[in-house]
Amino acid sequence: MANSYDVIVIGSGPGGYIAAIRAAQLGLKTAVVEREHLAGICSNWGCIPTKALLRSAEVLHLAEHAKNYGLTLEGKVTPDLKAIVARSRGIAERMNGGVGFLMKKNKVDVIWGEAKLTKPNEIVVAKTTKAIVQPQAPLPKNTLGEGTYTAKHIIIATGARPRALPGIEADGKLIWTYFEAMNPDRMPKSLLVMGSGAIGIEFASFYRTLGVDVTVVELLPQVMPVEDAEISAFAKKQFDKQGMKIFLDAKVTKVEKAADSVTAHVEKKDGSVEKITTDRLISAVGVQGNIENLGLEALGVKTDRGCIVIDGYGRTNVPGVYAIGDVAGPPMLAHKAEHEAVICVEKIAGLPHVHPMDALKIPGCTYCNPQVASVGLTEAKAKAEGRDIRVGRFPFVANGKAIALGEDQGMVKTIFDKKTGELIGAHLVGAEVTELIQGFVVAMNLETTEEELMHTIFPHPTISETLKESVLDAYGRALNA
């Protein structure tokens, strides 16, 4: 039957399109359903276009500090917000088109519309009601439309959306989510960011670098709450130096709107309330899974706290129905979704030796200035588990390459099990640590011990040498500090 498949994937974000490609590679007849944009939030409104914005901010920062590198620039370097945003949107459209090419290359059918499960092996696709807010790259020729489709296996990869707090919902003008923050109509002079997770602190960093007066309000006692406390404290000192105002152990309890400004009532730990008026407010208090209108309730698919419940292979409690990525719960990261997609599809295909997801080996990256990256247990969590640990630290100020780059504010922290020598956590802050973290991720996946890391030769001069020095420091053998 023309409308019958081995695998149908609902959603074409990082998890969805990777699942579709892997399924096609394994010889399964595959289709992907998309209602808005091929490549999902990640490539259109998240991971990729935000990095484009942050790259513009980084170049501006370097230009403003050209004298530190012995260079003189004629005239003042000023940001052109319209051009910065246009560059970011252009990159998003390029990524969007790239996924369309991959669907065609791998002979994956694209079904355009909104899918609803009517049976464990059947979906009905209706015309999309989602507003398209940027140009859609041309759809691949193998695009289908409304109708009923069947598949032996249906994978839900519908992603997540910004979480809204009651009374402080985004209105697209004064209160923004990351959608509006990425595509502002003009540069605000002042901005309040509610939440200091990856999304909040990245936008705080971007706008602060462009000269905006930025205030961050965080409910918990540290910025980037999921990170190691020592790394978080180091990053906060850098944010303070940049002129960010950061309120910890605080929450926005009320918002008053004026014609072109917003006043937030910020309640502090001691119970006092400070009123802060800014041009705009970004709500970055997390995301929630897109589980609505999929027919999950009728099928009895189990959900918990707004996400679909799965096992280590993406299987739900209903045979033939699977879920991956953000809709299947935290950590809500694109690379987690991609890996989950491969695990799920390979299990469907019956490949041997498919390993379930190990959440402790999923790296986390935040692309603020300075960057933050981590994998495994924090020091506090390791101690809470009763682990007897060794902790190593190495500062960028003792690394020649970091000094030469003018990027000497950073550190690497490693955590080892004292008994076995197993690397159980790594935490980095500083320039390009989002690239460096993968060294430790590979080491953890290979179950590398401190002995093997110590005998690994790192190239000189590189910032990556700080990784080895941190390992050496955990055992009292650091050579350059």
Side-chain angles (χ1 to χ4, degrees):
M1 293 177 62
N3 285 10
S4 181
Y5 296 87
D6 294 312
V7 174
I8 290 177
V9 185
I10 304 175
S12 70
Y17 85 78
I18 291 295
I21 290 172
R22 186 65 183 127
Q25 287 176 344
L26 292 171
L28 301 173
K29 185 183 178 184
T30 306
V32 62
V33 184
E34 178 54 54
R35 68 175 183 175
E36 184 178 8
H37 289 297
L38 291 173
I41 291 295
C42 177
S43 292
N44 289 285
W45 292 102
C47 314
I48 305 303
T50 55
K51 304 311 160 283
L53 295 177
L54 288 161
R55 176 61 171 169
S56 294
E58 180 184 9
V59 172
L60 174 64
H61 175 77
L62 289 171
E64 290 176 339
H65 294 83
K67 287 186 178 180
N68 295 345
Y69 299 89
L71 304 173
T72 300
L73 297 180
E74 295 294 335
K76 183 180 179 181
V77 179
T78 56
D80 181 340
L81 184 63
K82 185 176 180 179
I84 290 171
V85 170
R87 176 178 181 270
S88 173
R89 301 320 309 149
I91 289 169
E93 188 173 348
R94 179 176 172 182
M95 297 299 296
N96 177 285
V99 170
F101 166 78
L102 289 172
M103 296 298 96
K104 179 180 179 181
K105 175 186 174 182
N106 290 278
K107 297 181 173 58
V108 174
D109 287 342
V110 175
I111 304 171
W112 195 251
E114 296 185 2
K116 185 172 185 177
L117 284 84
T118 49
K119 299 175 184 177
N121 304 107
E122 180 183 272
I123 63 169
V124 171
V125 178
K127 184 178 181 180
T128 183
T129 59
K130 187 73 173 178
I132 306 299
V133 291
Q134 78 168 54
Q136 166 74 50
L139 292 170
K141 293 182 180 179
N142 54 323
T143 300
L144 305 174
E146 302 166 55
T148 300
Y149 299 84
T150 62
K152 298 173 185 176
H153 309 278
I154 296 174
I155 302 174
I156 302 170
T158 47
R161 63 185 184 277
R163 185 182 300 279
L165 293 182
I168 316 178
E169 294 87 356
D171 59 13
K173 180 187 177 184
L174 297 174
I175 301 177
W176 295 346
T177 65
Y178 53 77
F179 291 102
E180 293 82 20
M182 291 188 62
N183 193 20
D185 54 354
R186 64 176 177 83
M187 181 74 79
K189 293 181 180 179
S190 58
L191 180 69
L192 187 144
V193 180
M194 192 170 59
S196 71
I199 293 172
I201 209 67
E202 284 183 7
F203 277 118
S205 190
F206 168 72
Y207 278 102
R208 181 64 201 129
T209 303
L210 266 61
V212 177
D213 184 8
V214 173
T215 300
V216 177
V217 178
E218 171 56 52
L219 180 65
L220 296 173
Q222 68 176 61
V223 292
M224 295 175 287
V226 300
E227 300 296 341
D228 184 88
E230 189 174 359
I231 297 297
S232 172
F234 188 104
K236 182 180 180 298
K237 287 182 180 179
Q238 304 307 310
F239 301 149
D240 291 338
K241 289 179 182 177
Q242 295 163 16
M244 284 190 203
K245 304 181 190 72
I246 300 177
F247 291 84
L248 301 177
D249 282 315
K251 60 182 178 180
V252 177
T253 59
K254 180 181 177 182
V255 166
E256 297 172 344
K257 298 179 183 180
D260 200 29
S261 66
V262 58
T263 298
H265 293 233
V266 178
E267 183 180 317
K268 303 177 188 177
K269 187 177 182 179
D270 62 7
S272 63
V273 175
E274 181 170 342
K275 295 182 181 181
I276 301 173
T277 300
T278 56
D279 290 349
R280 299 292 182 267
L281 182 151
I282 295 179
S283 178
V285 292
V287 296
Q288 61 189 77
N290 292 319
I291 64 172
E292 298 83 6
N293 304 315
L294 289 170
L296 301 181
E297 298 86 354
L299 266 63
V301 175
K302 187 177 180 180
T303 62
D304 181 43
R305 289 178 288 183
C307 294
I308 298 173
V309 177
I310 61 169
D311 67 6
Y313 302 99
R315 298 176 294 203
T316 71
N317 62 308
V318 177
V321 179
Y322 309 77
I324 58 174
D326 289 1
V327 75
M332 294 181 175
L333 302 167
H335 45 278
K336 173 255 194 182
E338 292 180 358
H339 193 67
E340 220 166 25
V342 173
I343 290 172
C344 180
V345 170
E346 290 185 350
K347 193 68 173 177
I348 287 172
L351 268 62
H353 313 303
V354 179
H355 298 288
M357 176 73 76
D358 183 349
L360 279 178
K361 293 185 175 67
I362 302 172
C365 297
T366 305
Y367 299 81
C368 46
N369 179 24
Q371 293 181 5
V372 175
S374 60
V375 65
L377 296 174
T378 64
E379 183 178 358
K381 286 183 179 178
K383 289 178 177 177
E385 290 185 2
R387 299 273 198 132
D388 192 9
I389 60 175
R390 287 181 178 270
V391 179
R393 301 171 180 83
F394 194 80
F396 279 26
V397 291
N399 176 262
K401 180 65 178 293
I403 294 170
L405 290 175
E407 300 284 1
D408 65 354
Q409 293 303 300
M411 69 175 288
V412 177
K413 179 176 181 178
T414 45
I415 303 168
F416 291 87
D417 185 286
K418 188 179 287 187
K419 182 178 180 180
T420 65
E422 177 190 5
L423 176 66
I424 59 175
H427 308 273
L428 291 70
V429 57
E432 299 307 322
V433 298
T434 56
E435 300 290 341
L436 296 176
I437 190 62
Q438 191 60 21
F440 283 135
V441 177
V442 171
M444 289 179 68
N445 273 274
L446 295 176
E447 299 181 350
T448 305
T449 66
E450 92 290 351
E451 186 83 11
E452 292 159 324
L453 286 167
M454 288 179 184
H455 284 88
T456 300
I457 300 172
F458 284 71
H460 175 79
T462 62
I463 300 179
S464 70
E465 291 172 278
T466 60
L467 277 61
K468 181 175 181 177
E469 288 281 1
S470 178
V471 175
L472 291 169
D473 182 65
Y475 289 82
R477 293 175 52 180
L479 298 171
N480 287 285

